[in-house]
Amino acid sequence: MTRTGIHSRPAVLLIAAALLLCLVLGSSFIVLHRLRDLRGAAVEAPAHPLTDEQARQQVVEPARQFVEAGRLDKATATYMLLSCTNREDPPYQGAVYLDFGLPAPGETRRYFDRIDAALTARGWSVALPPSGHPGGRTLTKDGVTAVYYPNLDVPGRGVLQIYGECRNVTDHRADPTGWVDITAALRR
């Protein structure tokens, strides 16, 4: 009696080869992914690290630009160094969280259009809108990303978040954490 169809010797060999190929590719993916985790860009020391002050200025200066060019009303801001790898290990990036007043609800879109125009005139580029923030905008310049949107939890207020590059390699694991008020630094 001869075997035909799926039970034939060529079919069994083809299925075995396909399963073996899947096993080899899956194992290779896991090994390569593991190597990438160990040597990934987020954990490699940057070629040109930033000092603490440079990381701060990288995001505080753009915050000033937004306040001035966008004529942000009643702006308050805080600053913090954030870990780019987890909650505490280097490298770090400077981050600003800025709160500002918005015009009447029907005027917010035009207000954001004016902010976009004022900042693109200063060299900023419009990027994809932020997910999870209806009506929000994203601008980028020189490795810095700024995201702004209406604060849905506080009507009449907007939020601007600015993130610098992950280039501060100073170890801040033992530092006290928390946002620091930089509102006074927004005014020249």
Side-chain angles (χ1 to χ4, degrees), residues 147-170:
V147 178
Y148 60 103
Y149 52 90
N151 187 340
L152 300 179
D153 296 327
V154 184
R157 300 297 291 172
V159 172
L160 168 64
Q161 297 171 320
I162 302 174
Y163 299 99
E165 297 172 284
C166 292
R167 291 180 35 208
N168 181 310
V169 294
T170 305

Side-chain angles (χ1 to χ4, degrees), residues 33-50:
H33 183 72
R34 183 84 167 134
L35 289 174
R36 173 72 173 120
D37 283 348
L38 295 175
R39 299 188 158 281
V43 294
E44 292 175 0
H48 305 287
L50 297 175

Side-chain angles (χ1 to χ4, degrees), residues 1-68:
M1 179 164 165
T2 62
R3 293 183 182 178
T4 59
I6 196 165
H7 298 290
S8 69
R9 183 166 174 82
V12 170
L13 289 175
L14 183 61
I15 292 170
L19 290 174
L20 182 62
L21 182 62
C22 289
L23 181 65
V24 168
L25 290 175
S27 298
S28 299
F29 175 79
I30 290 170
V31 168
L32 292 174
H33 183 72
R34 183 84 167 134
L35 289 174
R36 173 72 173 120
D37 283 348
L38 295 175
R39 299 188 158 281
V43 294
E44 292 175 0
H48 305 287
L50 297 175
T51 65
D52 291 351
E53 184 57 29
Q54 288 170 325
R56 184 179 188 278
Q57 282 307 113
Q58 189 180 44
V59 292
V60 171
E61 182 54 35
R64 280 188 196 118
Q65 288 180 23
F66 270 83
V67 169
E68 291 171 5

Side-chain angles (χ1 to χ4, degrees), residues 72 100 102-103 107-117 134-137 148-151 158-159:
L72 302 185
F100 60 97
L102 290 176
E107 299 296 314
T108 301
R109 183 175 176 195
R110 281 190 290 266
Y111 181 60
F112 282 3
D113 288 343
R114 286 192 300 270
I115 293 172
D116 282 355
R137 310 288 176 94
Y148 60 103
Y149 52 90
N151 187 340
V159 172

